[in-house]
Amino acid sequence: MASSHSSPPVPHVSSSDGFFKKETDSTKCLRSVRSLPDVCPKEPTGEANSLCDGPSVVADQHRWTVYHSKVNLPAALNDPRLAKRESDFFTKTWGLDFMETEVMPSFYLPPITKEHFAPYFHETTQREKIHERCKNICPPKNDFDSTLSAASHPYDKSKTDLEQVPKIFMKPDFALEDPLIFNAVLPWSHFSGAGGKGSRDVASSRLLQEKLSHYLDVVEVNIAHQISLRSEAFFHAMTSQHELQDYLRKTSQAVKMLRDKISQIDKVMCEGSLQILRLALTRNNCVKVYNKLKLMATVHQTQPTVQLLLSTSEFVGALDLIATTQEVLQQELQGIHSFRHLGSQLCELEKLIDKMMIADFSTYARSDLNRPLEEDYQVLEEERLISLVFGLLKQRKLNFLDIYSDEMIAAAKNIVKQCVINIVSQMEEIDTEVVVKLGDQMRIMNFPQWFELLNDIFSKFTIFLKRIKATLNVVRSVVLLVLDKYQKTRELESASVHNSCGKGLGIDPEVAYLIHEGMFISDSFSNGEQASAGTESRFIRTTDPNSELCGSDSVSEPECTTDSSSSKEQTSSSVTPGGVEITINEDMKLTDLELGRVANGIQELLYNASDICHDRCVKFIMARAKDGFLEKLNSSEFVSLSRSVETFAQETERICCRKSMSLRGALQSQANRFVHRFHEERKTKLSLLLDNERWKQAEVPAEFQDLVDSISDGKITLPDKKASASEDKKPTDFLIVEGQKYAVVGTVLLLIRIILEYCQCVDDIPSITTDMLTRLSDLLKHFNSRSCQLVLGAGALQVVGLKTITTKNLALASRCLQLIVHYIPIIRAHFEARIQPKQYSMLRHFDHITKDYNDHIAEILAKLVAIMDNLFDKLLSKYEVKAPVPSNCFRNVCKQSAKMHEAISDLLPEEQTQMLFLRINANFKLHLKRQLTHLNVINDGGPQHGLVTADVAFYTGNIQVLKGLEDLDLNMAEIWEQKR
């Protein structure tokens, strides 16, 4: 207050760092004191219009006036939140929002940068340097200014005197109780004299007392000066206090009169109407409380109802009830203290239901998969399965397929184990006390017993897969129905949005009023709607009216109710393939993508079921094959095994639509071993037969003739053995093949049967076709090479002990080879029809074999010709043209030719016999011509020519007499040299 009349220091606009005081005129310093304005208004008169200037309680009751102010002006201006409020002019004068408001830059003012002031800085720099230089040259006269200031400013003089008082007395926390302050004000050195006071101490104490008295005088003078400056205002305020009290008394009387009038108006005009509105609102509140209490009573029964539903495994109903209760708690019963723990309890109960559903589904899967495997493909408790699947989908527990898969694996293991136990328990030759392990008991079985066990496992697994497929079809139908309902619901919702928005424009005024007052729509109709006895246990669910109008929660059905099932949970009925009707709610938490993945997972689960069954069968087969049991099977047993496995594989493919390769692969590995053993056995057998073969014509039993006859139209099939029919027929000397006679040895008959076994094995086991082709080629090559060694190479002389290899042996070997060559194209066609086109290159083996056989046949025929050629050379070298006729030489030639014909005529066909004798005759003519040339016998008609002609005629006659050579053209004219 003391400094209110002085101007505060302000910063100077020049470059000097100091401050200067505002210069004032000495005449204006001691100005007259103005009287303060009258703080009280004029006194009101008794007239009625004298109060019109003040605010009216009735007319201005809703308008803000100065009387509504609750904070004084200094408190509003002295904002404690501002650190520098005394020096911040803008916030002090115009409020907090002035400096804190963000001001958008003007679009009409260009941006100003430092470069715009560069010309000005450049212009004023020189002037500033000159000004600074002048200040240094002529310093200010401080003494003169101070003297002038003291003379012309008495107020400054008083301020100077006040400044003499130490600052410690001016501190707001000045207190003599503080030892530091006390020592600073009264130094202890002035009171150090205890026994005797020195003159120096007395003087210093007196000086301190005078100094403090001087400080007191200075302060009193300044206080008196300040009081003198405001004396008129103080006395004026004291005189106007009486007028203020009179004004307040008259004002209070006017206010009392006005309040009486307002009280009478309130009783007569307002109290009745307000009471009616109050009673109506009270009635509505009571109705709301009543509805809330009924809703609370229903919600209170939620947990017992859920327990009752769970006792009957109604998981879907329990989950729907929990979801509905949770929604009611969040919307209509929010904030109810008694239900503060119910939401968390329902969440825990929902988690418990999840665990119960998973455990129940696991139990269901175990009981379904482990029930007796009879010819019953019906789904076990289909309604229970649908309820479980729907509940699991509702709770997003999609791992139930993994649970079912684990149960399938355990059930498949149990099926194999139970089948083995059943078979073993019926076998008396297996002592279960000695052989404890099931694997060891199974290995004791012979093939018929083990094969019966395998077929039993196959049949059980077939029923097992059919049951799984039926169960998964039900699960898949539930998923697809839910997915289809989702798609239809979205289409209906998109169509109903426009209808809902159009209907929202015409709201009932009463409903609009209730919405404005914050009530529920259902409460506005509660008087006209009575809940039936059957629906007392259901929730009366209401929704946000705004969301209902805009259609975000609108139902997809054209007709809806206002009960608990019509707000957000719409239901639709669908029927599963088994005829069970299910109800689908729309509050599912799954997306279309997740439902699609579940549907695909169901299909994959069916594929896995097929793979599991195949894998268990593979393990069962491989457990029996450890000791080489399957490799030792004969062809018929292995073929029966292969057929059974292939039948089971095709049946599983038909059921599961999945081609499992594990079982076929295991059979293929065993088939490869079987093929190796099959081939080695027959190759060894063929080698033994060839080593014991004496190369004599064998009788052909009827069964071999039937075997050959079964190969008709190029189709190779082994005939069924008919003992009675074959016993009635007698063996024949020749094998009739397509009307031709084949004289064969016993080894070839068995070889043909072996070849047909190879071909039949390929029909029974298609997977080993390529291996069989290779092995059969090796077998045919082995027969060709070994027979060549034994006959042409004369190996039979040492192996069997033959004395010599006769022409009959050679002819018989040739005919056997011709029989095999006859069947090679049929064998080739048989294999060609059973291999892939990319494997046709393997058929070249038959081409090579055919060539080798034909070469071998040609070598045998050449060998026969060579025998006669050597004989002719030996006989004709001694030929002499002389009597008697015919000569001994020609007699011997005819004799040897007759023996040759006798040896081969019954073995070789007539055409081959003729071709052979044509070649023999050619050699004979060659040797005869050479001998005649040596003897200088020419066809000159002389005696020698006549003798030779007679011998040749004898030779020709003997040859043409032989069977089959009657029409043979010998052309004996070639024996004579042509005349030049």
Side-chain angles (χ1 to χ4, degrees):
M1 297 297 291
S3 61
S4 61
H5 294 280
S6 62
S7 299
V10 296
H12 199 276
V13 296
S14 65
S15 61
S16 62
D17 299 328
F19 291 89
F20 73 94
K21 295 182 180 180
K22 183 178 179 181
E23 296 181 359
T24 57
D25 191 1
S26 61
T27 60
K28 297 179 181 180
C29 180
L30 300 175
R31 53 191 174 182
S32 60
V33 179
R34 295 183 300 168
S35 62
L36 295 175
D38 191 1
V39 297
C40 297
K42 296 180 181 181
E43 295 180 3
T45 60
E47 300 177 357
N49 59 357
S50 63
L51 298 174
C52 62
D53 295 335
S56 175
V57 178
V58 178
D60 300 332
Q61 60 179 339
H62 298 293
R63 185 171 62 86
W64 192 91
T65 63
V66 71
Y67 296 101
H68 287 81
S69 177
K70 299 298 189 295
V71 182
N72 57 357
L73 188 59
L77 294 177
N78 297 328
D79 191 352
R81 291 174 295 177
L82 298 176
K84 299 181 179 180
R85 57 184 181 274
E86 294 298 335
S87 61
D88 193 343
F89 170 75
F90 299 103
T91 53
K92 178 180 179 182
T93 306
W94 295 330
L96 292 175
D97 297 333
F98 178 78
M99 293 298 291
E100 297 176 358
T101 303
E102 182 179 359
V103 180
M104 297 297 295
S106 176
F107 297 101
Y108 303 100
L109 297 178
I112 304 301
T113 60
K114 189 175 181 180
E115 285 72 11
H116 290 82
F117 297 94
Y120 173 76
F121 288 155
H122 180 71
E123 182 180 354
T124 58
T125 301
Q126 190 65 26
R127 297 180 183 178
E128 184 180 5
K129 291 181 181 179
I130 296 173
H131 177 70
E132 293 294 334
R133 195 179 303 116
C134 293
K135 284 175 62 177
N136 295 330
I137 294 174
C138 299
K141 297 180 180 180
N142 295 329
D143 297 338
F144 177 75
D145 292 340
S146 62
T147 304
L148 181 61
S149 175
S152 59
H153 302 289
Y155 176 72
D156 292 342
K157 181 177 182 300
S158 63
K159 185 177 180 181
T160 303
D161 294 339
L162 189 61
E163 290 178 353
Q164 294 178 4
V165 180
K167 300 298 182 182
I168 192 173
F169 295 102
M170 305 299 179
K171 290 183 178 181
D173 56 348
F174 178 80
L176 287 177
E177 292 83 359
D178 189 356
L180 297 177
I181 297 176
F182 184 81
N183 292 330
V185 174
L186 298 173
W188 188 253
S189 60
H190 296 286
F191 308 101
S192 60
K197 296 182 179 180
S199 58
R200 185 177 179 181
D201 295 336
V202 173
S204 59
S205 300
R206 189 177 302 164
L207 179 61
L208 178 61
Q209 184 178 0
E210 292 177 356
K211 186 184 296 185
L212 294 177
S213 300
H214 175 68
Y215 293 159
L216 179 62
D217 293 339
V218 171
V219 172
E220 289 177 352
V221 168
N222 280 275
I223 291 174
H225 178 67
Q226 294 295 331
I227 292 174
S228 65
L229 292 177
R230 292 164 178 77
S231 60
E232 293 183 4
F234 176 74
F235 289 112
H236 181 73
M238 293 298 295
T239 55
S240 56
Q241 182 70 22
H242 299 287
E243 297 177 359
L244 180 60
Q245 290 179 356
D246 294 338
Y247 177 75
L248 290 175
R249 183 174 60 257
K250 294 178 180 180
T251 301
S252 63
Q253 292 176 357
V255 169
K256 182 178 180 182
M257 180 180 63
L258 182 60
R259 287 181 175 177
D260 293 338
K261 292 180 180 180
I262 291 173
S263 177
Q264 294 176 1
I265 292 172
D266 181 42
K267 291 180 179 179
V268 174
M269 300 180 63
C270 300
E271 186 173 356
S273 300
L274 291 176
Q275 184 66 20
I276 292 173
L277 294 176
R278 188 179 297 108
L279 291 176
L281 184 59
T282 302
R283 182 180 181 278
N284 288 332
N285 289 336
C286 291
V287 171
K288 288 170 60 177
V289 170
Y290 174 71
N291 291 333
K292 291 291 183 183
L293 289 175
K294 287 201 304 181
L295 190 60
M296 290 173 64
T298 307
V299 170
H300 184 67
Q301 297 297 322
T302 298
Q303 288 179 316
T305 307
V306 169
Q307 296 292 341
L308 182 62
L309 292 173
L310 292 180
S311 64
T312 58
S313 299
E314 289 291 337
F315 299 108
V316 179
L319 290 173
D320 290 339
L321 183 58
I322 291 174
T324 305
T325 306
Q326 290 282 24
E327 188 175 353
V328 170
L329 288 175
Q330 293 176 3
Q331 291 185 0
E332 301 182 18
L333 298 181
Q334 187 175 9
I336 302 299
H337 187 71
S338 60
F339 289 151
R340 65 187 184 276
H341 300 306
L342 182 59
S344 59
Q345 291 174 358
L346 292 177
C347 290
E348 294 298 327
L349 190 59
E350 188 174 359
K351 294 179 181 178
L352 177 62
I353 293 175
D354 293 344
K355 296 179 180 178
M356 291 178 63
M357 283 193 301
I358 292 175
D360 199 6
F361 183 81
S362 178
T363 304
Y364 172 83
R366 192 178 301 110
S367 60
D368 178 44
L369 296 173
N370 292 321
R371 58 181 169 150
L373 293 171
E374 300 173 354
E375 295 296 332
D376 180 16
Y377 308 132
Q378 298 296 326
V379 179
L380 178 66
E381 298 181 12
E382 183 176 354
E383 297 171 351
R384 177 187 175 192
L385 174 62
I386 292 173
S387 176
L388 285 172
V389 173
F390 188 72
L392 292 170
L393 292 177
K394 182 181 178 67
Q395 294 302 108
R396 297 173 61 92
K397 301 298 180 181
L398 306 182
N399 60 341
F400 68 94
L401 296 179
D402 298 333
I403 297 174
Y404 197 82
S405 178
D406 296 338
E407 294 296 335
M408 282 194 311
I409 296 173
K413 293 180 180 179
N414 189 36
I415 288 173
V416 176
K417 183 178 180 180
Q418 192 63 36
C419 289
V420 175
I421 292 174
N422 293 338
I423 296 295
V424 170
S425 62
Q426 298 174 2
M427 298 174 60
E428 298 178 356
E429 59 270 18
I430 297 179
D431 190 358
T432 56
E433 295 180 359
V434 177
V435 183
V436 180
K437 294 183 179 180
L438 288 177
D440 297 335
Q441 295 173 0
M442 180 188 64
R443 293 187 184 94
I444 298 176
M445 301 178 185
N446 54 27
F447 178 77
Q449 294 171 342
W450 179 83
F451 188 64
E452 181 185 358
L453 174 59
L454 180 63
N455 288 329
D456 185 39
I457 292 174
F458 284 164
S459 63
K460 291 294 192 298
F461 274 144
T462 302
I463 300 173
F464 181 68
L465 289 177
K466 289 180 179 179
R467 286 184 178 178
I468 291 175
K469 184 177 182 179
T471 302
L472 293 182
N473 282 339
V474 174
V475 178
R476 183 181 180 88
S477 65
V478 174
V479 175
L480 293 181
L481 286 174
V482 173
L483 181 61
D484 182 63
K485 182 59 183 176
Y486 274 5
Q487 295 173 354
K488 291 181 180 179
T489 301
R490 281 195 297 271
E491 294 175 0
L492 292 175
E493 285 181 351
S494 62
S496 63
V497 167
H498 305 287
N499 299 333
S500 299
C501 293
K503 293 178 182 178
L505 298 177
I507 307 175
D508 190 1
E510 184 181 359
V511 178
Y513 169 74
L514 292 175
I515 294 173
H516 178 71
E517 292 297 328
M519 300 180 181
F520 293 100
I521 287 181
S522 61
D523 296 332
S524 64
F525 303 103
S526 59
N527 292 332
E529 296 180 359
Q530 299 295 332
S532 61
T535 59
E536 287 183 355
S537 61
R538 304 177 67 184
F539 297 123
I540 302 176
R541 298 174 55 199
T542 58
T543 57
D544 186 7
N546 296 326
S547 62
E548 187 73 20
L549 291 174
C550 68
S552 62
D553 291 329
S554 61
V555 297
S556 60
E557 301 294 335
E559 296 180 359
C560 59
T561 59
T562 58
D563 60 346
S564 61
S565 64
S566 63
S567 175
K568 289 185 179 179
E569 294 181 4
Q570 299 303 320
T571 63
S572 63
S573 297
S574 302
V575 180
T576 61
V580 179
E581 183 177 354
I582 61 174
T583 301
I584 301 175
N585 293 340
E586 293 182 2
D587 60 344
M588 303 286 286
K589 305 174 184 178
L590 295 173
T591 62
D592 292 353
L593 181 60
E594 289 175 330
L595 288 173
R597 289 177 179 173
V598 173
N600 294 334
I602 294 171
Q603 187 63 39
E604 289 295 330
L605 190 59
L606 184 59
Y607 295 159
N608 292 338
S610 176
D611 293 339
I612 288 169
C613 294
H614 279 251
D615 292 340
R616 300 313 305 176
C617 292
V618 168
K619 291 183 178 180
F620 177 77
I621 292 175
M622 298 308 295
R624 190 65 181 92
K626 286 184 178 180
D627 53 354
F629 173 76
L630 299 180
E631 300 177 14
K632 300 175 183 178
L633 300 178
N634 55 41
S635 59
S636 60
E637 291 175 343
F638 194 87
V639 166
S640 60
L641 173 63
S642 176
R643 287 177 178 175
S644 179
V645 170
E646 187 65 24
T647 302
F648 175 71
Q650 292 176 358
E651 184 67 17
T652 56
E653 290 175 14
R654 185 184 62 81
I655 297 173
C656 303
C657 301
R658 171 68 173 269
K659 190 173 184 179
S660 299
M661 300 305 298
S662 58
L663 185 57
R664 285 192 174 99
L667 182 64
Q668 181 64 38
S669 63
Q670 294 300 322
N672 293 334
R673 298 178 182 178
F674 169 76
V675 167
H676 178 73
R677 184 196 56 78
F678 180 88
H679 175 67
E680 292 298 328
E681 285 183 357
R682 279 148 185 78
K683 188 175 180 180
T684 303
K685 181 178 180 181
L686 180 61
S687 298
L688 293 175
L689 290 173
L690 288 173
D691 290 342
N692 295 317
E693 181 61 54
R694 303 188 66 85
W695 297 100
K696 292 182 180 181
Q697 184 178 359
E699 292 182 346
V700 179
E703 60 175 344
F704 285 97
Q705 185 62 52
D706 294 338
L707 183 67
V708 172
D709 293 339
S710 65
I711 306 174
S712 60
D713 299 330
K715 296 181 180 179
I716 300 177
T717 54
L718 284 174
D720 296 334
K721 293 184 179 180
K722 298 180 180 179
S724 60
S726 61
E727 289 178 357
D728 295 339
K729 295 181 181 180
K730 295 181 179 181
T732 58
D733 294 334
F734 296 95
L735 183 67
I736 308 301
V737 179
E738 296 181 1
Q740 291 190 9
K741 293 182 178 180
Y742 284 89
V744 293
V745 297
T747 302
V748 173
L749 292 175
L750 296 176
L751 176 61
I752 292 175
R753 187 176 187 87
I754 291 173
I755 292 173
L756 295 184
E757 288 177 355
Y758 274 81
C759 296
Q760 187 64 36
C761 194
V762 168
D763 289 337
D764 296 331
I765 313 175
S767 60
I768 63 174
T769 302
T770 54
D771 290 339
M772 279 295 184
L773 190 150
T774 306
R775 305 301 170 88
L776 181 57
S777 301
D778 180 65
L779 185 71
L780 294 175
K781 290 179 181 179
H782 176 70
F783 173 76
N784 184 41
S785 61
R786 187 58 180 163
S787 61
C788 182
Q789 294 173 2
L790 293 174
V791 179
L792 282 179
L797 299 179
Q798 292 81 17
V799 175
V800 185
L802 295 179
K803 296 180 179 180
T804 181
I805 302 296
T806 63
T807 55
K808 194 169 186 177
N809 299 139
L810 292 173
L812 192 59
S814 174
R815 197 57 176 162
C816 292
L817 294 175
Q818 292 173 18
L819 179 61
I820 302 301
V821 170
H822 171 78
Y823 281 111
I824 286 179
I826 300 175
I827 298 171
R828 175 193 174 101
H830 182 81
F831 279 91
E832 184 176 1
R834 289 158 178 79
I835 61 175
Q836 300 295 329
K838 61 182 179 180
Q839 297 173 339
Y840 284 168
S841 59
M842 299 183 65
L843 298 175
R844 68 179 184 275
H845 293 296
F846 294 108
D847 298 334
H848 297 161
I849 292 170
T850 303
K851 183 179 179 301
D852 293 341
Y853 272 69
N854 289 328
D855 292 342
H856 190 188
I857 294 170
E859 289 179 3
I860 292 177
L861 295 178
K863 182 66 174 178
L864 293 174
V865 174
I867 291 173
M868 294 302 296
D869 184 68
N870 293 331
L871 183 61
F872 292 156
D873 184 28
K874 182 178 180 181
L875 293 175
L876 292 176
S877 63
K878 300 178 180 179
Y879 176 61
E880 295 180 355
V881 182
K882 61 181 180 180
V885 177
S887 62
N888 291 329
C889 178
F890 272 81
R891 288 178 183 275
N892 291 330
V893 168
C894 292
K895 182 180 178 180
Q896 294 298 327
S897 298
K899 288 182 178 180
M900 172 66 74
H901 181 270
E902 183 182 0
I904 67 174
S905 60
D906 294 335
L907 302 179
L908 298 179
E910 186 176 344
E911 299 83 16
Q912 293 185 17
T913 305
Q914 291 177 1
M915 293 299 299
L916 181 62
F917 272 88
L918 283 176
R919 292 177 60 183
I920 292 173
N921 182 61
N923 290 336
F924 172 75
K925 290 187 294 183
L926 182 62
H927 288 287
L928 180 58
K929 183 179 180 179
R930 185 184 304 118
Q931 184 64 23
L932 292 176
T933 304
H934 176 70
L935 297 175
N936 294 323
V937 178
I938 59 176
N939 55 345
D940 55 354
Q944 289 185 339
H945 175 263
L947 292 174
V948 172
T949 302
D951 287 338
V952 169
F954 175 76
Y955 167 76
T956 303
N958 280 278
I959 294 298
Q960 291 180 346
V961 170
L962 298 177
K963 182 181 177 181
L965 303 181
E966 295 86 359
D967 299 331
L968 190 65
D969 185 11
L970 299 179
N971 194 11
M972 298 304 295
E974 295 179 356
I975 64 174
W976 305 108
E977 288 284 346
Q978 298 294 331
K979 294 182 180 180
R980 297 180 180 178

